Amino acid sequence: MPELWLKYIRFMRVQADVTRTRRVCDRALRALPVTQHARVWRMYLRFAEHVGGHTAHHVYARYLRAWPEESEQLVDYCESHEEWNAMTLALVKVLDNTGFRSSRGTSEYGLWVRLAHVLRVHARDLQGWDVERVMRDGIGRFADQAGALWAALGEWHAGQGDVERARDVYEEAVTSVRTVRDFALVFDAYAEFEQATVAAELEHDVERGRTGVRTALRLVQLERLLERRAFLASDVELREIPHSVRAWLRRAGLWRARADDSALTDKQRTKALDMERETFAQAVAAIDPRRATEGHVDELWLAYARSCGDDSARRAVLDAAVAAPMGSVAELAHVYVAYAEHELARGSVEGALRVLTQATAHAGSTRVDYRDESVAPAQRVFKSQRVWALLVDVYEADGRDSSVRSAYERMIELRIATPQTV
């Protein structure tokens, strides 16, 4: 039965009678069971695409009511016939349908990128579309993959000749994207945009026979953008992995590198060093010690202390460090040892003993298990062999034999002494 209808449709197509052919296709769909409609629709759509115009869109509208997952066929048809308004409308309808599942496996993000491309490239052929609102809707939906959409929005404004608005969009993008991949995409588009504006101004200068102020301004803007790249990338990295110790150390290292720049004035160098210390302060406040990745919090505290310019400031930072929460008792012991070694390096034996005595003092029960992670590190550090070993070494070096004996007795009492230490 379906073969007869298919032959009938092929015959009618040869007759070149659009209305009668369309009616035959409609009759075939009514006569045949739903399970055989797909064969009819294939011929019906080829016929409609050949005819084009209103007929094609009418046929596709009927087809998609039955097979909505094939909506990309209509998008492809509109694109091949350069019907940009219709293509945009088809994509928007697909994206507004929260239950849409592409038969081709195209993701929602892929459809948004395709829509953004049409809006950007064919903006002058579209009427009645609020391009910025549509693109920002997509950016809001895909905050973790918004790089391509931000770049498209900036390029659209640039294509409209609105240079300042395009720059504002790019600035907003590089300070709000959440992944390094998106940042690289947006920054490259931003840099290309600035280079294009410089090239355009240079062409105007050649025509005028002199260099204008606008050209100098564009060059400065491009230069400053390139100088900011490392800091902008660092901002994105910290938004993506806020508990990364290495990311925060790299951020502080950028300020240290700027401070070491011989071209800076003393005021600029001082400001860079202040920003380095402020970065460390932000880092230790932002990182959850138990969620820290790519390192441990004690590394940040000790680097923070080293960044301070005088001993009193370093002591203040180290005092804050030993009172701060740590991810493990080993980290806290490391800070205490580093603090004591700092005091010894300054020739202050009493200062070192004060720090180590503070670490080994414990007013509560001594039955605490050193390896019990459910107990805070500050409540277990008094059993750290590393701290006690340094305390004994300081006592011995200072000739305090009675204190040495007392320390060993205390270690034996706490059951942390070993044949090697005794």
Side-chain angles (χ1 to χ4, degrees):
M1 189 67 174
E3 289 298 331
L4 289 175
W5 281 108
L6 296 177
K7 290 178 180 179
Y8 191 6
I9 294 171
R10 280 193 289 268
F11 171 76
M12 293 305 301
R13 288 188 62 183
V14 174
Q15 307 309 307
D17 189 327
V18 174
T19 300
R20 292 183 64 189
T21 303
R22 180 173 56 79
R23 288 174 178 172
V24 168
C25 291
D26 291 341
R27 287 171 59 196
L29 290 172
R30 287 194 296 270
L32 294 172
V34 175
T35 54
Q36 297 178 358
H37 281 192
R39 300 178 66 184
V40 176
W41 275 118
R42 280 195 292 271
M43 295 190 67
Y44 201 172
L45 291 175
R46 284 198 296 270
F47 158 72
E49 290 176 358
H50 176 74
V51 174
H54 177 73
T55 298
H57 287 282
H58 175 74
V59 171
Y60 262 111
R62 289 183 58 198
Y63 173 62
L64 295 179
R65 280 198 293 271
W67 310 89
E69 65 275 11
E70 301 294 342
S71 296
E72 287 173 272
Q73 288 190 36
L74 175 57
V75 176
D76 293 340
Y77 166 77
C78 294
E79 184 175 26
S80 64
H81 288 74
E82 299 184 355
E83 297 181 12
W84 308 120
N85 265 311
M87 180 181 177
T88 303
L89 179 61
L91 283 168
V92 169
K93 285 183 177 179
V94 169
L95 292 169
D96 283 342
N97 181 4
T98 56
F100 175 76
R101 296 294 180 270
S102 170
S103 62
R104 304 177 184 179
T106 307
S107 66
E108 185 182 0
Y109 176 72
L111 294 171
W112 270 105
V113 171
R114 191 172 184 182
L115 175 60
H117 176 78
V118 176
L119 294 173
R120 174 176 59 85
V121 176
H122 303 289
R124 298 185 185 279
D125 300 316
L126 302 174
Q127 293 97 31
W129 290 99
D130 187 342
V131 175
E132 179 153 3
R133 186 185 65 81
V134 172
M135 287 196 181
R136 284 188 178 275
D137 185 21
I139 290 169
R141 295 191 192 190
F142 299 96
D144 293 334
Q145 298 174 284
L149 300 177
W150 275 116
L153 180 56
E155 290 172 18
W156 177 76
H157 279 294
Q160 300 298 304
D162 194 345
V163 174
E164 294 305 321
R165 181 59 184 151
R167 183 176 290 108
D168 291 341
V169 167
Y170 283 124
E171 278 293 329
E172 183 181 356
V174 295
T175 55
S176 62
V177 291
R178 298 182 182 179
T179 65
V180 174
R181 177 182 176 277
D182 278 348
F183 171 78
L185 194 156
V186 171
F187 187 88
D188 289 344
Y190 192 1
E192 290 177 8
F193 161 74
E194 291 291 6
Q195 290 168 355
T197 59
V198 170
E201 291 298 337
L202 288 173
E203 288 181 7
H204 292 160
D205 290 346
V206 170
E207 294 174 0
R208 292 192 298 262
R210 59 184 177 83
T211 301
V213 176
R214 290 172 61 87
T215 303
L217 176 61
R218 299 293 187 228
L219 286 170
V220 170
Q221 288 172 329
L222 175 59
E223 181 180 350
R224 288 182 177 175
L225 174 63
L226 298 177
E227 288 177 352
R228 293 166 54 210
R229 189 185 196 287
F231 285 94
L232 291 171
S234 176
D235 288 340
V236 177
E237 185 180 28
L238 291 175
R239 285 197 293 272
E240 187 175 8
I241 43 176
H243 297 285
S244 169
V245 173
R246 288 285 168 266
W248 281 105
L249 289 173
R250 282 191 289 270
R251 176 69 172 196
L254 292 176
W255 288 113
R256 172 61 64 171
R258 173 168 290 190
D260 293 339
D261 187 350
S262 58
L264 296 183
T265 63
D266 290 341
K267 184 177 180 179
Q268 290 172 323
R269 188 173 295 107
T270 300
K271 182 179 179 181
L273 292 173
D274 289 342
M275 290 303 300
E276 179 192 21
R277 290 188 286 273
E278 183 177 335
T279 298
F280 280 123
Q282 293 172 349
V284 296
I287 291 184
D288 181 344
R290 293 188 177 276
R291 296 173 62 189
T293 60
E294 298 182 295
H296 303 288
V297 177
D298 58 315
E299 300 174 57
L300 281 172
W301 278 109
L302 297 179
Y304 186 7
R306 288 192 295 271
S307 71
C308 296
D310 57 79
D311 287 343
S312 61
R314 289 176 186 171
R315 287 192 180 96
V317 170
L318 291 169
D319 284 334
V322 297
M326 293 287 167
S328 69
V329 67
E331 295 176 36
L332 182 56
H334 183 205
V335 174
Y336 270 117
V337 169
Y339 193 174
E341 289 174 346
H342 165 74
E343 293 295 334
L344 291 173
R346 296 297 181 273
S348 176
V349 174
E350 293 301 326
L353 291 175
R354 174 184 62 82
V355 172
L356 295 171
T357 301
Q358 176 184 340
T360 55
H362 185 69
S365 172
T366 60
R367 292 178 177 271
V368 176
D369 185 353
Y370 180 77
R371 297 177 180 81
D372 186 357
E373 294 297 329
S374 64
V375 180
Q379 301 299 316
R380 293 180 285 144
V381 71
F382 74 98
K383 284 192 173 184
S384 170
Q385 291 181 342
R386 185 178 181 184
V387 174
W388 278 102
L390 181 57
L391 178 60
V392 170
D393 288 344
V394 174
Y395 280 147
E396 288 179 346
D398 201 40
R400 304 189 186 192
D401 295 338
S402 60
S403 296
V404 172
R405 287 192 294 271
S406 297
Y408 278 126
E409 289 171 0
R410 180 60 173 166
M411 291 173 68
I412 293 172
E413 179 185 342
L414 294 174
R415 298 181 180 182
I416 60 174
T418 65
Q420 185 178 9
T421 58
V422 176

